[in-house]
Amino acid sequence: MSLDRQQIKVIAAIDFGTSRSGYAYAFKDDKGVIGRYEWDKQPFPYIKTLTQSLYNSDGKLEAWGYSALYQLAQLRKEKKAKDYSFFPTFKMALRESRKNSNGDPITTTKNGLEFPVIDLVADYLRELGGLLRDELRKATQGELKDNEILWCLTIPAIWKDNEKSFMRRAAVKAGLISDNESDRERLLLVLEPEAVAIYCQEKYEAELKAGQRFMVVDCGGGTVDITSHEVSSHGGLDEIAEGTGGPYGSTYVDKEFREYLATKLSTQALTRYQEEDPIGWLEFMANWERKKCDFDSEKTNIIYFDIPSRLY
């Protein structure tokens, strides 16, 4: 049974990233795209929140996004974090983890607890999708029905069919769509760089003529994806080479920054600072994030970065 396009009123997109995730939506009869820039515990306005989750001792989701990071810091400060499980980059666990008897990936915490990765993804998507639904209900005075929403969920270009299938199952488990075959077409899995390519084609329509080629380099938090396209004679886009990429995103810049700090201040000092002042450490890294995002290679020669007196 094919999707009745006439019943769709809203296109809701979730960008599920390795380090950060967010959403945006648009009403079918209006090209205006609405995104969310304010998130709980967010240190500065940004279109995405952190792809991180905190689970309690019962294995239940306690907090997600920036809230997970700040709640963990508070628990560490109070010496109560021992029984909690924190997942900072669980999207990558989809590719790197070992499998259970059903062939699904699982990840193990420092406490030795095992968590199915599909549950981590589904729980996060449920919270993010729920927030989006709440916003849509407010915008439509509660009149919008679930079957009137077309969901778009982003995936990296380098993912294979089994990983795409995994994300679809996670979306069903999260309640974005039902497991009925008739509901299947209400979820589109969108390759991240291909979505960018379509956007570029529309924005630069006057400049992109048939036969012209262009490359999209999508530099995210966890991965970098590269695709190349040619504008076809019928106005569409043809892929001229297989998409490629890998784990080269900005979280690896953060890793290099921490290693650089360790050479200057010692690993022992950084570890002690994180343990004794976890909230201060969060603020310290939030300041680094702002510096990193403001960096302009053409304008920036020197970056001044304050070392907190406590760390000193």
Side-chain angles (χ1 to χ4, degrees), residues 157-196:
I158 58 175
W159 278 14
K160 306 302 181 184
D161 287 343
N162 63 322
E163 292 156 336
K164 296 175 184 177
S165 175
F166 175 95
M167 287 304 298
R168 181 169 286 277
R169 289 193 293 121
V172 170
K173 195 165 187 175
L176 298 186
I177 61 171
S178 70
D179 58 359
N180 294 330
E181 187 64 29
S182 60
D183 217 18
R184 180 179 179 83
E185 291 186 37
R186 276 203 312 111
L187 174 68
L188 301 179
L189 296 179
V190 183
L191 297 181
E192 293 157 1
E194 287 190 355
V196 177

Side-chain angles (χ1 to χ4, degrees), residues 71-260:
Q71 189 164 326
L72 177 66
Q74 190 64 44
L75 288 166
R76 284 175 173 169
K77 183 178 180 181
E78 299 170 357
K79 309 298 182 184
K80 297 179 180 178
K82 181 181 178 182
D83 296 327
Y84 285 77
S85 299
F86 180 62
F87 299 94
T89 54
F90 57 86
K91 181 181 176 181
M92 295 302 286
L94 172 58
R95 306 198 95 200
E96 300 168 353
S97 300
R98 56 194 179 88
K99 306 291 194 295
N100 61 15
S101 58
N102 296 324
D104 283 338
I106 57 175
T107 186
T108 305
T109 68
K110 293 180 179 179
N111 300 337
L113 301 176
E114 291 185 349
F115 280 77
V117 177
I118 194 168
D119 288 346
L120 301 178
V121 176
D123 286 347
Y124 190 91
L125 291 178
R126 186 181 300 111
E127 296 297 327
L128 199 60
L131 205 59
L132 201 165
R133 275 199 183 101
D134 289 343
E135 192 168 331
L136 288 173
R137 290 193 182 100
K138 290 177 183 176
T140 59
Q141 287 79 48
E143 297 180 358
L144 187 71
K145 300 176 182 176
D146 279 352
N147 63 2
E148 296 173 329
I149 303 174
L150 175 66
W151 294 93
C152 300
L153 182 61
T154 64
I155 57 174
I158 58 175
W159 278 14
K160 306 302 181 184
D161 287 343
N162 63 322
E163 292 156 336
K164 296 175 184 177
S165 175
F166 175 95
M167 287 304 298
R168 181 169 286 277
R169 289 193 293 121
V172 170
K173 195 165 187 175
L176 298 186
I177 61 171
S178 70
D179 58 359
N180 294 330
E181 187 64 29
S182 60
D183 217 18
R184 180 179 179 83
E185 291 186 37
R186 276 203 312 111
L187 174 68
L188 301 179
L189 296 179
V190 183
L191 297 181
E192 293 157 1
E194 287 190 355
V196 177
I198 294 171
Y199 170 79
C200 290
Q201 185 187 25
E202 182 170 320
K203 183 174 181 180
Y204 303 105
E205 183 178 7
E207 302 172 38
L208 293 175
K209 305 299 182 182
Q212 191 163 2
R213 297 179 172 186
F214 64 96
M215 178 184 292
V216 174
V217 182
D218 180 6
C219 301
T223 59
V224 171
D225 293 308
I226 304 172
T227 55
S228 50
H229 305 269
E230 180 177 319
V231 181
S232 65
S233 57
H234 54 76
L237 292 174
D238 294 328
E239 192 175 53
I240 58 176
E242 185 178 356
T244 186
Y248 314 119
S250 68
T251 53
Y252 297 92
V253 180
D254 299 340
K255 179 175 178 290
E256 289 292 329
F257 172 67
R258 289 191 295 269
E259 291 178 357
Y260 172 77

Side-chain angles (χ1 to χ4, degrees), residues 260-279:
Y260 172 77
L261 281 179
T263 64
K264 297 294 183 180
L265 308 172
S266 82
T267 301
Q268 293 84 356
L270 291 179
T271 301
R272 183 179 169 193
Y273 181 48
Q274 291 181 65
E275 292 175 349
E276 296 184 7
D277 190 3
I279 295 178

Side-chain angles (χ1 to χ4, degrees), residues 18-34:
T18 305
S19 63
R20 286 172 177 77
S21 300
Y23 66 71
Y25 62 90
F27 292 93
K28 189 171 69 171
D29 300 326
D30 183 358
K31 284 197 172 183
V33 178
I34 303 167

